[in-house]
Amino acid sequence: MKRALSGVLALATASLAAPSSVVRHGRTLPLDLASRSLNSSSSTAGTKIILDNDWSSAGFIPYLLALNAGWDVLGLIGDTSNSWALQTSLHGLATLEVGNLSSCIPVYKGSDYPLILTPETFQTWEDLHGDLAWQGAFAAENLTYEALGNDPTSGDPERVSRSAFFEGYPNGTLAGNHSAAWMVEQVRKYPGEVLIYSGGALTNVALAVKLDPEFASLTKGLVIMGGYLDVTLLQTSGSTLQADLNSDINLKIDPEGAKAALTADFPKITIVGNAANQVFPTQEYLDEVYEVKNGYTSLFYEHYGTEFPFWDETAMFSVLEPSNVLNSTSFYLDVDIAYNSPYYGNIIGYQEALKPRAQSLQKVDFIYEIDGDKLKAQIKESLQYPKTCADLASF
C-alpha cells in the first residue's frame, strides 16, 4: 500500500517525460533476453480465457501477457466503459491485426448500455453527488475532443471516431454482437476451464450470468480490474488525476452489472483494485522496451505514456501464476447499488461474522501487492516477442 501511495503522490509533481502523443485507456494527452524463460514453466499454461475490456490503441498488453504465458485466448469482447462498446471492440480487432492475431482470435461486441444507467442518469447522479474525475463513455459528448484523437463519449453509441485509431483502423469485421451468448457457449463447451477477465465494466459478464443460471459456476473463475477500498481520502486533495487513479469507473458506470457479476457463484473471484495502482511505467522503461521494434512496441512507446499505472496489465498478471501475488486477503463482497448513495458503484467488504444474512455474497480474493519487477519483465517480453497465430497453433 505504501508503494502504491508514494507513486500516486509523486505523480502530482512529476514532470512529463513521454512522447508527444499519448493514448492511455482511451485518453489522449499532450506531451535483454534473460526474461524470456519466465513463463516457460508456468503451472497455469493452457488455461482458456475470455478477455472483456474497453480496448484502446495501447490496451493490448493483457492479451499478449496471456498468450506469452501459453494461455488459450478464446476471444475478446469490447465493453462500454471508457468509450462505447463498438469503438472499444474495433480497437480490440485493430490491435489484434497489428500482430496478425485476428485470424485466430475473434472479437465480439458487447452491450451498448449498462443494465440501468444512461449518460443522462449518470450525469444526474453527478449533479447530486459530485463529479467523477474520469467519466468514461458517459462524459458529455465533445466532437472537438474526438477530432484530436479521443474515443467517443455520450451521444450515439454506434458513432465511431476513426481519428482515435492510432493503431490503424481495422480491416476485418467483428465476429458478432452477441457477446454474452458467446461467453455462455464457450463456458458450456469447456466447463471448468474458462477464466473470465474483465478490465472494463461488468455489463457483459452480468448479462451472461442472467442468461444462464449455471454460467458462473461452470467457469474457472473471474478476475477484474477495479474495486478500490479505503481510498476516499486520496480523492479529497491533490490533483484530479490522483482522484482519477483512485476512483472506480469500471464499477460505477454499471453498478447493477457489477453487483450481478460479483455476487454470482464463480468458483473464484479475484479483485485487483488497490494493487493496480502499484506499478507505473517510466520513460526509461518505455525506451528499454522499444529497443526491439515491432508494431506493439511502437504503439507502446508512442502512445502508452507515463501518467497512469499498469491497471489492466496488473489484473492479468495477478492470475498468471500464484507467485506473482505477494500480498492478498479475502472477504465477502457487495456492491452499493443505491442510486441516492454517494458511494453508488463502490464495493463493500465484510468479514464472515458481519456479512449480511439476506444476501448470498461471494468470498473474493483481494490483491494488495504484486511482484512489480516481474510484471515489467513479462510485459517487456510479451511486447518484444509477441506470439503469433502460428505459435498458438503449436500449443
Side-chain angles (χ1 to χ4, degrees), residues 63 67 72-76 92-108 170-175 182 296 387-393:
Y63 65 73
L67 292 173
D72 182 2
V73 176
L74 298 177
L76 310 183
L93 179 59
T95 57
L96 284 172
E97 290 181 357
V98 170
N100 296 314
L101 288 165
S102 59
S103 63
C104 53
I105 299 176
V107 182
Y108 289 82
N171 296 307
T173 57
L174 300 174
W182 175 74
Y296 289 125
K387 291 294 186 289
T388 66
C389 285
D391 295 323
L392 306 186

Side-chain angles (χ1 to χ4, degrees), residues 16-31 56-61 91 95 98 148-151 163-168 281 283 286-287 289-290 294-310 313 383:
L16 185 63
S20 59
S21 176
V22 172
V23 176
R24 183 67 177 103
H25 293 276
R27 304 170 223 188
T28 300
L29 303 174
L31 302 181
S56 64
S57 293
F60 41 77
I61 299 174
H91 273 305
T95 57
V98 170
L148 296 175
N150 289 275
D151 291 316
S163 64
F165 286 83
F166 293 94
E167 72 274 35
Q283 187 59 43
L286 297 179
D287 294 342
V289 171
Y290 195 49
N294 59 45
Y296 289 125
T297 59
S298 295
L299 283 167
F300 180 68
Y301 178 77
E302 294 169 6
H303 298 297
Y304 199 96
T306 58
E307 289 72 28
F308 299 98
F310 287 121
E313 297 81 1
L383 288 170

Side-chain angles (χ1 to χ4, degrees), residues 162-379:
R162 288 177 177 252
S163 64
F165 286 83
F166 293 94
E167 72 274 35
Y169 194 76
N171 296 307
T173 57
L174 300 174
N177 298 332
H178 52 292
S179 62
W182 175 74
M183 274 196 286
V184 169
E185 176 188 276
Q186 295 301 302
V187 166
R188 287 202 166 272
K189 183 178 180 180
Y190 305 109
E193 298 183 49
V194 182
L195 181 70
I196 306 298
Y197 165 99
S198 176
L202 284 154
T203 307
N204 301 313
V205 179
L207 289 172
V209 166
K210 296 302 183 183
L211 185 62
D212 183 350
E214 295 183 314
F215 167 76
S217 65
L218 290 175
T219 69
K220 189 180 182 70
L222 171 69
V223 56
I224 78 160
M225 189 272 122
Y228 296 111
L229 280 179
D230 303 325
V231 295
T232 304
L233 188 61
L234 295 176
Q235 300 179 43
T236 64
S237 61
S239 67
T240 55
L241 179 56
Q242 179 174 310
D244 179 5
L245 296 178
N246 292 279
S247 62
D248 250 332
I249 189 63
N250 287 351
L251 275 67
K252 296 180 83 69
I253 205 163
D254 189 358
E256 292 78 13
K259 168 116 178 177
L262 296 176
T263 57
D265 57 346
F266 288 96
K268 182 180 177 68
I269 299 176
T270 304
I271 307 293
V272 187
N274 297 45
N277 281 338
Q278 178 186 330
V279 185
F280 284 75
T282 63
Q283 187 59 43
E284 180 182 18
Y285 180 70
L286 297 179
D287 294 342
E288 182 182 335
V289 171
Y290 195 49
E291 289 173 2
V292 175
K293 294 176 176 55
N294 59 45
Y296 289 125
T297 59
S298 295
L299 283 167
F300 180 68
Y301 178 77
E302 294 169 6
H303 298 297
Y304 199 96
T306 58
E307 289 72 28
F308 299 98
F310 287 121
W311 280 321
D312 298 345
E313 297 81 1
T314 299
M316 185 68 249
F317 175 77
S318 296
V319 294
L320 287 178
E321 56 179 284
S323 63
N324 292 349
V325 175
L326 302 182
N327 192 5
S328 65
T329 189
S330 61
F331 52 78
Y332 291 89
L333 179 144
D334 197 5
V335 179
D336 188 343
I337 57 170
Y339 182 77
N340 63 345
S341 168
Y343 302 108
Y344 182 47
N346 288 9
I347 68 168
I348 307 163
Y350 298 94
Q351 60 172 285
E352 174 85 36
L354 302 175
K355 66 177 181 177
R357 289 181 291 276
Q359 300 188 71
S360 295
L361 302 183
Q362 301 302 314
K363 198 168 193 178
V364 305
D365 290 335
F366 186 86
I367 309 301
Y368 273 122
E369 183 182 8
I370 52 93
D371 187 334
D373 290 338
K374 188 175 179 184
L375 168 65
K376 290 191 290 185
Q378 291 194 1
I379 289 175

Side-chain angles (χ1 to χ4, degrees), residues 73-85:
V73 176
L74 298 177
L76 310 183
I77 295 171
D79 64 53
T80 290
S81 188
N82 278 337
S83 185
W84 293 110

